[in-house]
Amino acid sequence: MPLNYSEEQSLLRDSAKDFFATTLPVSNLRELRDQKDETGYSTSAWKEMIELGWCGITVPEQFGGLEFGYKGLGVIFEQAGRTLAASPLLATCALGVTALVEGGSAEQKQALLPLVAEGKTTLALAVDESPVHAPYNIACEAVKDGANYTLSGQKIFVLDGHVADELVVVARTSGATKSREGITLFLVNAKSSGITFNRTVMVDSRNACRINFDKVTIADTQVLGAVDQGADLLDFVLDVGRICLSAEMLGSMQESFDRTIEYLKTREQFDVLIGSFQGLSHRAARMFCEVELAKSVVISALTALDDETDRASIAEHASLAKAKVSEVINLVSNETIQMHGGIGMTDEEEVGLFLKRARVAEQTFGDARFHLNRWGELNNI
């Protein structure tokens, strides 16, 4: 498995790097936060991303997409992480598109995928119901009622849920609350009667949302995949999200590391550059090695997706990547603040924003402990 990018993927990475540096620098996130922007991301920048074709990166060509692959999407996320760029890219193009491509009917795909590729429709995945990620702990219930279902319950931490046009809702159609069996995924229009949204601005200034479903009527044609057997589809959708998020986290930690090295090269104490201190040099060397290891597991996971590796292997790659990247971004963000000193936590210094993003991203879709445990279970350890 080659742990590198093709010429086309490298060109896309360079293009994305220029785009995010000029259009969505870190200062954009600060501006969104200070202005308490209701959308939570720059709509003008999102339109530019649509024009670049990024919404169709993983959409099949027959539905108007580029079908450029997950490695292509991954390099975009990596560069987005370098500037902490906020956008619906993860919720729509990683989670939502995957759910439609893998579980949607021919009619559902034809109706929505072209709209997603054109940037006319955004998606969100509603899965978690507790503060700790537990994808099978589903109490939100969809009760069969003739040709329809009645959906009732609550979802929390729905990424970009309040701005989504369509929701991929994970509901229980049978079985016990924590059972892997009896889970079904539904495609629900966000404007359906009985749905209320409560936006939550996270510590990293990103969008999350609490959604209540009060006897929402949905047709059986809105089912994604098979009834009661949605866990396999959910696992794959989440694994794609975890791998893409890991790519974003990789970009974030690389930027934090680069800024820290630059600071060590320029900051003086007692007329001596602090980068010459042996203790700091050793800590910087450790960070470099860990970042390189994280880069390898992310590229390996993205490659596994593009190579259509079997789902069990992809699950292992996803958990390995998310676990390792979560550990490394925790280390790097901590060391970045420590080496910058007190100024690192001031609002004027941007490295503090990278720390906040790191803490939220670590927990999203499972932290290091969750994925180390999952990886062990997948390998019967």
Side-chain angles (χ1 to χ4, degrees):
M1 180 183 292
L3 297 182
N4 53 23
Y5 295 118
S6 67
E7 182 178 355
E8 292 81 5
Q9 291 161 351
S10 297
L11 289 172
L12 177 59
R13 178 189 58 197
D14 295 340
S15 174
K17 182 177 181 179
D18 291 340
F19 172 82
F20 287 113
T22 57
T23 308
L24 288 174
V26 179
S27 57
N28 175 260
L29 182 67
R30 191 195 300 275
E31 183 180 343
L32 292 170
R33 180 201 65 183
D34 294 345
Q35 293 180 353
K36 295 180 171 57
D37 186 271
E38 293 183 0
T39 304
Y41 60 88
S42 169
T43 53
S44 60
W46 178 240
K47 289 179 181 178
E48 290 187 48
M49 294 165 75
I50 294 169
E51 292 172 0
L52 288 168
W54 291 354
C55 289
I57 287 281
T58 56
V59 175
E61 290 183 357
Q62 68 185 100
F63 300 111
L66 299 178
E67 203 169 346
F68 195 64
Y70 287 104
K71 253 184 166 179
L73 186 59
V75 298
I76 295 174
F77 275 112
E78 183 181 344
Q79 299 309 314
R82 281 188 171 272
T83 67
L84 303 178
S87 78
L89 203 62
L90 181 63
T92 296
C93 304
L95 298 167
V97 166
T98 301
L100 274 172
V101 170
E102 297 297 323
S105 65
E107 293 76 13
Q108 289 169 334
K109 293 177 183 179
Q110 190 59 57
L112 282 177
L113 286 177
L115 296 179
V116 173
E118 294 171 10
K120 296 179 180 179
T121 294
T122 55
L123 306 164
L125 175 68
V127 53
D128 281 315
E129 299 179 13
S130 62
V132 178
H133 181 62
Y136 309 140
N137 187 5
I138 304 297
C140 184
E141 190 176 27
V143 179
K144 184 69 171 175
D145 183 15
N148 300 321
Y149 287 86
T150 300
L151 178 67
S152 298
Q154 184 184 85
K155 296 293 182 180
I156 66 173
F157 198 54
V158 181
L159 302 182
D160 291 306
H162 78 294
V163 291
D165 299 305
E166 299 283 341
L167 303 171
V168 177
V169 182
V170 182
R172 183 158 298 285
T173 45
S174 67
T177 299
K178 296 183 179 181
S179 172
R180 191 176 185 278
E181 304 301 321
I183 291 174
T184 305
L185 276 63
F186 294 89
L187 188 62
V188 183
N189 187 280
K191 295 181 179 179
S192 300
S193 177
I195 302 179
T196 56
F197 300 87
N198 182 15
R199 181 192 178 197
T200 302
V201 179
M202 306 298 291
V203 68
D204 61 348
S205 303
R206 295 296 191 89
N207 284 330
C209 185
R210 184 185 298 270
I211 305 178
N212 289 302
F213 301 94
D214 183 14
K215 297 180 180 178
V216 179
T217 300
I218 49 181
D220 57 5
T221 56
Q222 293 173 254
V223 173
L224 288 172
V227 175
D228 290 340
Q229 300 175 30
D232 288 341
L233 173 60
L234 175 61
D235 284 343
F236 185 67
V237 171
L238 285 172
D239 282 337
V240 169
R242 289 158 178 159
I243 293 170
C244 289
L245 178 59
S246 295
E248 181 198 327
M249 295 165 71
L250 173 64
S252 181
M253 75 173 73
Q254 287 181 127
E255 181 67 20
S256 295
F257 175 73
D258 291 346
R259 291 182 180 220
T260 302
I261 296 302
E262 186 61 30
Y263 187 75
L264 295 179
K265 290 179 179 179
T266 56
R267 178 73 167 93
E268 291 186 1
Q269 284 186 355
F270 309 109
D271 297 323
V272 178
L273 291 173
I274 63 174
S276 64
F277 298 161
Q278 189 176 60
L280 295 183
S281 297
H282 288 174
R283 287 161 65 181
R286 182 193 174 196
M287 280 197 290
F288 172 79
C289 294
E290 292 295 325
V291 169
E292 289 301 304
L293 286 172
K295 187 185 302 183
S296 296
V297 296
V298 169
I299 296 177
S300 179
L302 290 168
T303 303
L305 286 174
D306 281 344
D307 288 350
E308 298 184 357
T309 310
D310 66 89
R311 296 292 172 84
S313 180
I314 287 174
E316 291 181 29
H317 278 288
S319 282
L320 176 61
K322 188 60 167 62
K324 184 60 181 178
V325 170
S326 294
E327 289 179 344
V328 177
I329 201 171
N330 187 284
L331 167 71
V332 172
S333 58
N334 282 343
E335 290 286 55
T336 295
I337 296 298
Q338 288 289 323
M339 293 185 186
H340 276 78
I343 194 175
M345 284 305 295
T346 63
D347 195 56
E348 289 76 11
E349 176 55 59
E350 292 180 344
V351 293
L353 300 177
F354 283 86
L355 173 72
K356 293 175 181 178
R357 176 56 184 158
R359 292 299 172 269
V360 175
E362 286 174 48
Q363 301 299 320
T364 304
F365 304 141
D367 61 7
R369 289 186 178 183
F370 176 94
H371 285 289
L372 287 172
N373 182 70
R374 181 176 184 243
W375 190 90
E377 290 178 345
L378 289 168
N379 286 275
N380 299 313
I381 297 176

